Amino acid sequence: MARLWQSWMIALARSPRVTRWMQGNRAAVALARRFVGGGDVDAAVAVARELDRAGFKTSLYYLGEYVEDPALVAENGRQKIAAAEALAAARLQIHVSFDSTQLGYAIDDAAGAELALKIGARIRALAEAGVPQPVLMLNMEDADYVDRILALRRHLLAAGVPVAQTLQAYLKRSATDLAPIIAEGGMVRLVKGAFADPGAHALQGGRAIDANYLALAAQMLSPAAKARGFRPVFGTHDDKLIPAIRRLARAGGWRLGEYGFEMLYGVRPALQRALRDDGEQVRLYLPFGRAWWPYAVRRVGESPRNAMLLARALIGG
């Protein structure tokens, strides 16, 4: 039943007709507000300020993925730079997430890498101007993009860009991909992965994926990783994984704040507050932009408990 529910939500997210209707539907705004930080960068930074005062860090993400229109690709690049500059002006940590397919990798890898470098160079310049600890977080996408995304990370790193990498526990290869980043003293955000498929490269079933997540977490929280200056981030809302991760951190000698959790804005806020109150570093993935419907409806698909939000939007005027 859960898979059927998720398939319905994915179909709604990918339907251009539904997207146009919902984004013009006033009642749907309540759904967007639950999961999205606003329609433009000013609104998103205002939310980021509020979250900072409440003890949460943020990672800004301009919405839009698998873009094949060069004009939209260019706009995505401008919005990423605008987000970095607005965070710097607000004296908040620059932490901006992006997809390779936002920047043209669905069209041409070389052009996408050039645009990513342009964004990274601006973030690097802001860092040189005194903005502390900036991060350009490279999201992971489906299996066809993994090697290309990891190559992009190396390209940005060689140019002096403060780039971090997302890895997915559903992929069998992730332990191999993780090892050199730990050795470099880099930064990784570990997620379960939203692109699971039946291919031979993918683990099948929740138990297998959870077990691999914890195995990867053990690598990330090992004393050796700590000695290298590695920075681990765990992107999960899982009640079973989070206590296990915290135990691994204590066993590896990690102090609070030397690792962190990242969660989606609007998803399980009570859990976010509980971790914050326990002294854990919690960062919220904060999307913004006009293309909010596909993102918001996928968040509903992850939890049928949010169905009432969708129902209100669908039947609203």
Side-chain angles (χ1 to χ4, degrees), residues 44-88:
V45 171
V47 174
R49 281 199 191 98
E50 293 177 7
L51 291 170
D52 182 68
R53 287 192 289 268
F56 295 105
K57 297 181 179 297
T58 52
S59 182
L60 263 60
Y61 172 75
Y62 182 67
L63 291 161
E65 57 201 60
Y66 294 96
V67 178
E68 297 183 356
D69 181 342
L72 291 178
V73 168
E75 176 63 12
N76 287 342
R78 287 190 291 269
Q79 290 290 341
K80 301 297 183 186
I81 291 172
E85 292 175 340
L87 287 168

Side-chain angles (χ1 to χ4, degrees), residues 65-197:
E65 57 201 60
Y66 294 96
V67 178
E68 297 183 356
D69 181 342
L72 291 178
V73 168
E75 176 63 12
N76 287 342
R78 287 190 291 269
Q79 290 290 341
K80 301 297 183 186
I81 291 172
E85 292 175 340
L87 287 168
R91 298 185 178 181
L92 297 172
Q93 182 194 15
I94 296 174
H95 199 296
V96 177
S97 293
F98 77 101
D99 297 340
S100 67
T101 56
Q102 291 186 299
L103 304 185
Y105 268 66
I107 307 170
D108 177 71
D109 287 13
E114 183 179 351
L115 182 53
L117 185 57
K118 181 178 179 180
I119 297 165
R122 182 61 184 132
I123 290 177
R124 185 186 60 206
L126 289 167
E128 291 169 352
V131 176
Q133 295 185 318
V135 174
L136 182 61
M137 177 62 76
L138 183 48
N139 293 342
M140 189 51 78
E141 298 172 76
D142 62 64
D144 291 340
Y145 284 89
V146 174
D147 284 323
R148 296 151 69 186
I149 290 169
L150 292 171
L152 175 58
R153 174 190 171 272
R154 292 190 294 270
H155 177 65
L156 293 170
L157 196 63
V161 174
V163 63
Q165 180 65 60
T166 304
L167 293 178
Q168 300 175 108
Y170 91 91
L171 290 177
K172 296 176 182 178
R173 62 176 288 171
S174 289
T176 301
D177 294 331
L178 174 62
I181 303 178
I182 290 177
E184 295 166 4
M187 180 177 183
V188 164
R189 173 175 62 193
L190 181 63
V191 300
K192 289 188 181 183
F195 300 97
D197 59 54

Side-chain angles (χ1 to χ4, degrees), residues 147-287:
D147 284 323
R148 296 151 69 186
I149 290 169
L150 292 171
L152 175 58
R153 174 190 171 272
R154 292 190 294 270
H155 177 65
L156 293 170
L157 196 63
V161 174
V163 63
Q165 180 65 60
T166 304
L167 293 178
Q168 300 175 108
Y170 91 91
L171 290 177
K172 296 176 182 178
R173 62 176 288 171
S174 289
T176 301
D177 294 331
L178 174 62
I181 303 178
I182 290 177
E184 295 166 4
M187 180 177 183
V188 164
R189 173 175 62 193
L190 181 63
V191 300
K192 289 188 181 183
F195 300 97
D197 59 54
H201 53 269
L203 294 167
Q204 303 302 318
R207 289 185 180 181
I209 294 171
D210 287 355
N212 196 44
Y213 194 108
L214 288 178
L216 294 167
Q219 281 184 258
M220 294 168 65
L221 292 169
S222 67
K226 190 175 190 300
R228 289 285 187 175
F230 178 71
R231 291 181 289 166
V233 179
F234 300 98
T236 183
H237 304 84
D238 193 310
D239 288 318
K240 294 180 181 178
L241 293 181
I242 290 171
I245 291 165
R246 298 178 76 184
R247 289 193 294 270
L248 286 169
R250 289 193 294 271
W254 296 75
R255 294 177 295 182
L256 294 172
E258 292 180 333
Y259 63 97
F261 292 95
E262 186 165 322
M263 300 182 175
L264 301 173
Y265 176 68
V267 178
R268 303 202 65 187
L271 175 60
Q272 296 167 4
R273 291 191 295 269
L275 284 171
R276 175 205 60 189
D277 293 347
D278 278 349
E280 297 288 0
Q281 183 184 106
V282 181
R283 186 179 302 277
L284 301 184
Y285 187 82
L286 182 63

